[in-house]
Amino acid sequence: MQYLSTRGAGPVGLDQALVAGIAEDGGLFVPRGLPEFANADFDGADSLNAVARVVCEPFFAGSSLADDLDAVLNETLSFPIPLTPLPGGDWSLLELFHGPTAAFKDVGAAFLAACLTRLCGDAKAPLTILVATSGDTGGAVAAAFNERPGMRVVVLYPKGRVSARQEHQLTCWGDNVLSVRVDGSFDDCQRIVKAALADGALSSRHRFSSANSINVGRLLPQATYYAYSALEHWRATGTKPGFIVPTGNLGNALACILAREMGLPVGPVVLATNANRTIPDYFETLEWLPRPSVRTLASAMDVGDPSNMERLRCLVGGADVLRDRLGVVSVSDEQIAREIARSFAGFGFAVCPHTATATYAWRTFDEAVREERHWIAVATAHAAKFETIVEPRIGEAVPLPPELEAMLSRPTRVLDIEPELEALAECMQHAF
Ligand SMILES: *Cc1c(COP(=O)(O)O)cnc(C)c1O
């Protein structure tokens, strides 16, 4: 499989697309022509890993990693991804939060770590993974690369905009991980990372690669859990489930759309956003107007300029096409807060604020829409990661999953910088 830039450069093979992260013309890599699957292609593939293998194989054709695909997938999908039925209707929760940092980004990060360590782990000239995070990406990437030989990680996150437990997860790693707190927003962090990757001198000194949801290696493995859960449902009922995906930078939802484009039995896809309205406004006005992000309770979705839109347009089409193929529900903080309480009362367990946008979106559907098919709301993080938001709304403590408990006992370390590339360059010079 070859990969092209959304802006025209390429083609390159998978290995190069994974290592470079971003194309030389500043675009994002997309597969050149998607494989088309029929449900019968998955006959005999009864586990998540087996389905993932079928989905991923064409994307690995011609890659030096092709023979390692099983090993890569075993490292990636090493924790359960259950589908839990929900009361009150024909719907369920796809729980993506059972990995090391209790959020769905563990899947993409583990996949990328498995691939990049094989491709370019080099103790003499380490590869440096540069990652901007609005909360969960950085922790997942740091956990995935922590103490991997020949690999370094630099995590940039916005000061005061991540939860205390998220911050702990961003800052509690070994010597090969540098945690940088930026006096700015997530968009500032993302801008600095893009500038660093585009800076020739800096980039060659540190052998940069990116692990944001802009790396195509984050996207591919995420398509596997949509493929698997859709197939399981289709096998049991002969119908296609709809998916409701909490959406910020559009990486997770894009993977779901990708699965549908490749012929997997995925029904309607609904994007649940918070008060950052760039995507809903785009569908309404057909004009793409990126803007500064606003802070919400679902902070990992506080994105004003979702970079994966460039990929989505390239793979599917412009706003007029997209709005026919996708639903979108924008959820306010007040609605998130009420949904956390309501879902706790109804489910008997708490959902995180991001997940709450999806369960809330389902409740906004007309009764006929809710009843015409099975809906799968995607749970992107464990509620215990956002205890300061969740606990006051449910009136009790959220039990910590064991991964989080272990992580919270580790010591932390962080550097503060102004939102400028020079400040990042300087602190990297000292750190490594
Ligand atoms: C990152 C994140 C999201 C948003 O995912 P995107 O791929 O950026 O759209 C939603 N929920 C949680 C918990 C996240 O960490």
Side-chain angles (χ1 to χ4, degrees):
M1 170 82 72
Q2 303 240 286
Y3 297 79
L4 292 171
S5 163
T6 48
R7 301 181 191 173
V12 303
L14 177 65
D15 301 5
Q16 198 181 330
L18 289 173
V19 174
I22 191 163
E24 59 186 9
D25 59 359
L28 282 63
F29 287 113
V30 289
R32 179 186 212 170
L34 292 178
E36 271 181 45
F37 296 108
N39 292 332
D41 293 335
F42 296 91
D43 285 354
D46 290 330
S47 65
L48 172 59
N49 293 51
V51 167
R53 177 172 229 298
V54 178
V55 170
C56 290
E57 200 163 10
F59 293 97
F60 276 67
S63 161
S64 69
L65 295 168
D67 291 340
D68 289 335
L69 180 54
D70 283 324
V72 166
L73 289 174
N74 288 341
E75 282 180 37
T76 305
L77 303 167
S78 58
F79 43 85
I81 300 187
L83 201 54
T84 303
L86 293 176
D90 185 13
W91 63 324
S92 56
L93 200 63
L94 182 60
E95 297 183 6
L96 303 180
F97 54 71
H98 296 283
T101 70
F104 83 92
K105 293 185 177 90
D106 283 325
V107 175
F111 178 86
L112 204 56
C115 290
L116 289 183
T117 306
R118 285 174 171 80
L119 285 172
C120 40
D122 176 352
K124 287 207 194 91
L127 191 74
T128 303
I129 310 296
L130 209 49
V131 54
T133 185
S134 55
D136 283 341
T137 306
V141 170
F145 285 92
N146 188 42
E147 285 166 7
R148 284 211 182 229
M151 309 299 284
R152 286 172 175 160
V153 177
V154 179
V155 182
L156 285 78
Y157 69 94
K159 185 175 179 174
R161 305 224 186 164
V162 301
S163 76
R165 283 183 187 165
Q166 272 185 323
E167 185 155 23
H168 201 111
Q169 255 173 351
L170 293 168
T171 54
C172 68
W173 307 104
D175 289 342
N176 72 326
V177 178
L178 176 65
S179 310
V180 180
R181 183 163 50 198
V182 176
D183 194 2
S185 66
F186 168 68
D187 294 324
D188 288 319
C189 298
Q190 191 155 275
R191 174 178 53 78
I192 297 171
V193 164
K194 281 189 179 167
L197 292 169
D199 183 311
L202 201 60
S203 189
S204 60
R205 175 154 9 115
H206 293 288
R207 287 187 77 211
F208 279 148
S209 183
S210 94
N212 276 11
S213 48
I214 55 181
N215 192 307
V216 75
R218 293 276 305 281
L219 207 54
L220 297 179
Q222 290 172 182
T224 65
Y225 46 72
Y226 291 110
Y228 178 68
S229 52
L231 271 170
E232 283 287 278
H233 186 79
W234 181 82
R235 284 165 172 161
T237 65
T239 61
K240 298 178 180 182
F243 285 87
I244 312 169
V245 189
T247 294
N249 211 24
L250 204 47
N252 199 11
L254 181 57
C256 183
I257 296 158
L258 208 59
R260 186 170 69 178
E261 293 290 313
M262 294 190 290
L264 273 302
V266 170
V269 177
V270 176
L271 314 178
T273 71
N274 58 24
N276 286 278
R277 294 195 44 97
T278 308
I279 298 171
D281 289 351
Y282 181 48
F283 288 5
E284 229 164 75
T285 65
L286 305 183
E287 248 191 301
W288 182 244
L289 294 173
R291 64 204 72 163
S293 56
V294 297
R295 300 171 74 148
T296 74
L297 293 175
S299 57
M301 291 157 48
D302 290 352
V303 183
D305 184 4
S307 23
N308 276 301
M309 184 54 82
E310 188 168 328
R311 247 189 202 125
L312 186 57
R313 278 200 219 98
C314 188
L315 287 168
V316 181
D320 47 338
V321 179
L322 289 176
R323 71 171 172 186
D324 288 341
R325 302 222 196 148
L326 297 171
V328 64
V329 178
S330 167
V331 185
S332 71
D333 268 5
E334 197 194 327
Q335 290 161 337
I336 291 172
R338 265 191 282 128
E339 177 61 22
I340 289 171
R342 180 173 181 179
S343 57
F344 181 69
F347 305 162
F349 59 87
V351 296
C352 90
H354 314 83
T355 305
T357 65
T359 55
Y360 177 86
W362 181 82
R363 298 188 206 279
T364 68
F365 296 169
D366 289 344
E367 199 173 322
V369 173
R370 283 205 300 264
E371 286 175 1
E372 88 194 340
R373 67 178 66 248
H374 184 75
W375 287 94
I376 296 175
V378 175
T380 49
H382 195 285
K385 272 188 104 156
F386 301 94
E387 81 287 4
T388 55
I389 295 166
V390 172
E391 290 176 352
R393 270 99 195 175
I394 66 171
E396 57 184 84
V398 181
L400 269 182
E403 327 53 85
L404 279 187
E405 201 161 5
M407 192 268 316
L408 289 170
S409 64
R410 302 169 64 108
T412 63
R413 198 165 48 99
V414 65
L415 288 173
D416 283 289
I417 68 164
E418 293 298 308
E420 304 300 337
L421 177 60
E422 296 70 37
L424 175 68
E426 197 184 310
C427 78
M428 287 188 62
Q429 182 102 35
H430 292 299
F432 297 133

